[in-house]
Amino acid sequence: MKEMMEKLREASIRAILESEDVDSLEALRVKYLGKKGELTGILRQMGRLSAEERPVMGQLANQLRADIEAAIDARKQVLSSAMMEKKLEAEAVDVTLPAAETRLGHKHPMYNVLDQIKDIFIGMGFEILDGSEVELSDYNFTKLNIEESHPSREWTDTFYFTEDSRVCLRTQTSPMQVHAMETKTLPIRMIAPGRVYRKDEVDATHSPMFHQIEGMVIDKGVTMSDLKATLNLVVEKIYGEGTVTRFRPHHFPFTEPSAELDIRCHKCGGKGCPTCKGEGWIEVLGCGMIHPKVLAGCGIDPDVYSGWAFGMGLERLAMGEYKISDLRLIFENDERFLEQF
Ligand code: DAH
């Protein structure tokens, strides 16, 4: 029996040292020390031994069990630290490798122009308002004194959401005048840039979506000379000192009197060239004194308060500033174009 145990010791220790992973170590534990294992098998034969031999063999068997168990644990330690090392090696990150390059874009040319204009107006104490592009026709038209028969109200000109024409995509930023009058306390000095929508076919000068900047001042004693002085200053800041302007009479339903502001062509000095299409002048914006009906409709007494307003197209301004010949280039987001600015 002693011999059998010695053999078992030798065989088991060798098998344990040769095992390559934790699972096979567990299998060896069952094989040698389990209930139906080899050591138990040997101990079953204890009955055959004499009363003196039994405790000696029992002690030997206990020692053998402890040794096999110790050998399994020691091997387990070796295997798991080797496994950990392998894993660390496989998952190693080389922190010295150069990082993947992130390409940084830059501001769109049109937003450069918008930022420049915002700066000019902020410098004069105006606040900047943001408005909804989905608008009630009441605000887009009616409250701006645009009569029912006005062509801009036609389904062929305006994107409506409802059969009854109550809700539309705003065709101009002018409804922001009404929103400001209804929600702000007087006096008001604001500009409101944003997108507007009209049913226009896309070509070099038209797009169904474009940007406008609305501006408005309301206070006691505001006159047309305030309008002219302020807008002349703005134009000089945009186009350079000494830029010549002219205010050409025009009609807008929500201003009275109304005008269009032209600048003398900065390219040809007024002689006529491709930039000004031979006119000598370039149209920049529409403006006027806010119609008393519009003020009164917003709860402002036109006998006490007066105001002026303007609206200008942002794309046209950016096209002038950067000599962009086709409106579509502004919206296509072709990097070859945008990278030039
Ligand atoms: N909303 C006008 C348009 O889209 C532009 C405009 C003209 C705005 C005169 C104004 C203004 O505020 O006073 O053609």
Side-chain angles (χ1 to χ4, degrees):
M1 207 166 161
K2 197 174 169 190
E3 244 167 58
M4 284 165 79
M5 281 201 265
E6 277 317 308
K7 260 191 196 154
L8 176 58
R9 173 189 296 277
E10 215 174 278
S12 62
I13 302 289
R14 193 182 321 120
I16 289 164
L17 289 177
E18 279 171 4
S19 82
E20 287 297 338
D21 59 80
V22 179
D23 285 348
S24 61
L25 270 179
E26 278 313 307
L28 289 177
R29 188 196 296 277
V30 174
K31 182 176 183 227
Y32 297 122
L33 306 177
K35 266 188 198 153
K36 293 176 187 165
E38 292 183 21
L39 184 58
T40 321
I42 296 172
L43 290 176
R44 273 212 193 94
Q45 299 167 28
M46 287 274 260
R48 284 197 240 137
L49 297 177
S50 66
E52 300 88 62
E53 275 176 319
R54 242 177 258 161
V56 180
M57 284 303 145
Q59 216 178 351
L60 273 178
N62 282 342
Q63 186 58 54
L64 177 55
R65 172 181 294 277
D67 290 349
I68 294 176
E69 235 147 37
I72 289 175
D73 288 346
R75 182 71 185 152
K76 209 180 206 171
Q77 284 247 311
V78 172
L79 286 179
S80 44
S81 59
M83 232 163 71
M84 178 60 84
E85 229 158 79
K86 236 189 207 168
K87 206 170 159 203
L88 285 176
E89 215 168 273
E91 289 172 8
V93 175
D94 184 353
V95 292
T96 66
L97 280 176
E101 203 180 324
T102 359
R103 280 187 63 211
L104 273 186
H106 61 75
K107 215 177 280 164
H108 190 285
M110 196 181 67
Y111 283 91
N112 283 337
V113 174
L114 178 57
D115 282 352
Q116 187 194 349
I117 290 169
K118 280 181 180 172
D119 274 352
I120 295 169
F121 280 98
I122 287 171
M124 296 190 295
F126 283 60
E127 70 176 308
I128 295 168
L129 301 184
D130 197 12
S132 161
E133 290 164 32
V134 177
E135 188 55 277
L136 292 171
S137 323
D138 254 5
Y139 284 76
N140 195 78
F141 299 118
T142 316
K143 286 169 182 268
L144 286 166
N145 195 34
I146 299 175
E147 66 273 28
E148 285 295 332
S149 58
H150 198 279
S152 66
R153 283 182 179 251
E154 290 294 324
W155 276 75
T156 47
D157 285 327
T158 298
F159 293 103
Y160 288 103
F161 285 94
T162 51
E163 285 293 327
D164 61 5
S165 313
R166 248 173 48 81
V167 187
C168 63
L169 286 175
R170 65 179 179 188
T171 63
Q172 50 183 352
T173 44
S174 301
M176 286 308 292
Q177 293 186 27
V178 181
H179 288 297
M181 286 187 234
E182 287 184 349
T183 57
K184 299 275 162 193
T185 49
L186 296 165
I188 299 171
R189 277 187 210 89
M190 69 83 172
I191 62 165
R195 293 190 183 94
V196 301
Y197 301 84
R198 293 180 193 177
K199 280 194 178 171
D200 278 331
E201 295 291 336
V202 177
D203 65 25
T205 52
H206 292 87
S207 160
M209 186 279 294
F210 57 100
H211 296 72
Q212 287 188 334
I213 304 172
E214 196 72 19
M216 182 177 78
V217 172
I218 303 178
D219 202 348
K220 288 178 181 156
V222 171
T223 68
M224 187 91 181
S225 56
D226 296 308
L227 176 160
K228 289 183 77 174
T230 312
L231 291 180
N232 276 336
L233 193 77
V234 171
V235 161
E236 284 205 320
K237 294 227 174 179
I238 299 174
Y239 292 97
E241 244 170 80
T243 303
V244 180
T245 59
R246 74 172 180 195
F247 289 80
R248 184 164 35 82
H250 200 76
H251 169 75
F252 297 105
F254 38 90
T255 44
E256 182 56 37
S258 304
E260 281 198 317
L261 188 166
D262 302 333
I263 56 164
R264 179 175 285 161
C265 181
H266 43 84
K267 197 74 186 283
C268 63
K271 285 192 212 86
C273 71
T275 300
C276 57
K277 297 192 195 92
E279 299 278 328
W281 295 90
I282 300 170
E283 186 190 310
V284 177
L285 54 82
C287 57
M289 299 304 292
I290 301 169
H291 200 295
K293 260 172 98 175
V294 175
L295 288 171
C298 295
I300 296 171
D301 185 347
D303 290 330
V304 182
Y305 285 95
S306 55
W308 60 268
F310 73 89
M312 67 176 146
L314 184 54
E315 283 81 1
R316 200 188 310 161
L317 217 60
M319 287 167 78
E321 174 133 350
Y322 291 114
K323 316 263 179 302
I324 299 167
S325 56
D326 193 318
L327 177 64
R328 287 167 287 200
L329 288 166
I330 291 187
F331 300 123
E332 275 169 357
N333 286 334
D334 185 330
E335 284 186 34
R336 290 168 302 177
F337 167 73
L338 294 175
E339 270 166 1
Q340 299 172 49
F341 303 99

